Amino acid sequence: MPADNALLAAGAGFVLCGAAAFTLGPLVMRRLPEPILEDGDTKIRYAELAGEGVATKAAYWCGATAAVAGGLLGWMLGTSAGLAAWLMLAVVGSVLGYIDARTKYLPSAITWPSYGLVGLALAIGALATGDWGSLLRAVIAGAVAYGLFELLFTVVRRGVGYGDVRLSGLLGMALGWLGWGEVIVGLYAGFFVGAVNGVVLMVAKGYSRKDMLPFGPFMLLGALIGVLAGQPLVRLYLG
């Protein structure tokens, strides 16, 4: 069911997120510091990834994905206290997803500041509504998600990079503001969608594990699924 003022929020999310990601995405990429690579590793430089000029492939891709995500988030959340944080995350996520898909890196120069931006937006939302319980849940969920991915990185490593660990806490915090159902579904959906994609690629194109796409885009898609379907799926599961 759409939230209160869903149409207004969806329109605002579509336009604002699309315009912000289209404009800021390539600009940020051109200014990102390059990571220190291990011996033998190579990657596309972030500045090259952004392209030249304003209307680049990166700009269109980031703008389109952010617009779609912003519109869906607006429709689901309406003009609620958590909307601003999620719209910021839609813009950040579109840029991170594009970078990770092309380079297999999630730059910490984007992820760490996003904690502050999203956290501040949630704190302002709690101050405006008095909903301190949601803010506390967001902090706890972010810490739990970060700890879970840290454990996976330490024990399993395969398929999870430390950029994914950093991203997990950010997504967990934003999902936690909405509820534990969204946290569970959002994190699980990332693994599920990523696994399905891996099976399809291995069967259809003969890809090996080394050829799989990076996990960041699937984490971001999973978080969006958590917002859209978290509560309905939890209610269905609980009967």
Side-chain angles (χ1 to χ4, degrees):
M1 293 293 293
D4 294 337
N5 301 312
L7 188 60
L8 173 63
F14 184 89
V15 173
L16 294 176
C17 291
F22 182 92
T23 304
L24 297 176
L27 291 177
V28 170
M29 292 179 207
R30 294 186 187 109
R31 290 164 174 76
L32 280 175
E34 290 293 325
I36 299 174
L37 303 179
E38 297 182 6
D39 291 341
D41 287 349
T42 60
K43 66 175 286 295
I44 302 173
R45 291 181 61 84
Y46 295 130
E48 295 175 7
L49 189 66
E52 297 181 359
V54 178
T56 65
K57 179 180 178 180
Y60 282 118
W61 183 263
C62 293
T65 53
V68 172
L72 291 173
L73 290 167
W75 183 257
M76 288 302 299
L77 301 179
T79 52
S80 64
L83 178 64
W86 273 100
L87 294 186
M88 289 180 187
L89 193 52
V91 175
V92 170
S94 70
V95 178
L96 285 175
Y98 183 80
I99 292 173
D100 198 23
R102 295 291 306 278
T103 69
K104 297 185 179 180
Y105 282 85
L106 284 166
S108 58
I110 295 178
T111 307
W112 286 133
S114 298
Y115 274 85
L117 291 174
V118 173
L120 178 61
L122 294 178
I124 292 173
L127 182 64
T129 61
D131 191 1
W132 300 106
S134 292
L135 183 61
L136 176 61
R137 186 174 60 236
V139 173
I140 295 173
V144 168
Y146 196 102
L148 172 63
F149 273 73
E150 178 80 50
L151 180 62
L152 289 173
F153 176 79
T154 302
V155 176
V156 181
R157 284 189 177 267
R158 180 174 294 172
V160 177
Y162 209 79
D164 302 322
V165 177
R166 290 189 292 263
L167 180 60
S168 68
L170 179 63
L171 298 180
M173 180 172 63
L175 289 165
W177 171 271
L178 301 177
W180 287 111
E182 285 84 350
V183 175
I184 295 170
V185 172
L187 295 181
Y188 177 78
F191 287 103
F192 179 78
V193 175
V196 170
N197 176 78
V199 171
V200 170
L201 289 179
M202 284 190 288
V203 172
K205 297 187 176 181
Y207 279 28
S208 68
R209 289 182 181 272
K210 295 186 296 183
D211 299 317
M212 294 298 103
L213 290 175
F215 191 40
F218 300 114
M219 294 174 64
L220 293 161
L221 179 58
L224 182 59
I225 293 172
V227 178
L228 301 178
Q231 285 302 321
L233 287 176
V234 169
R235 287 196 295 268
L236 180 64
Y237 176 77
L238 296 177

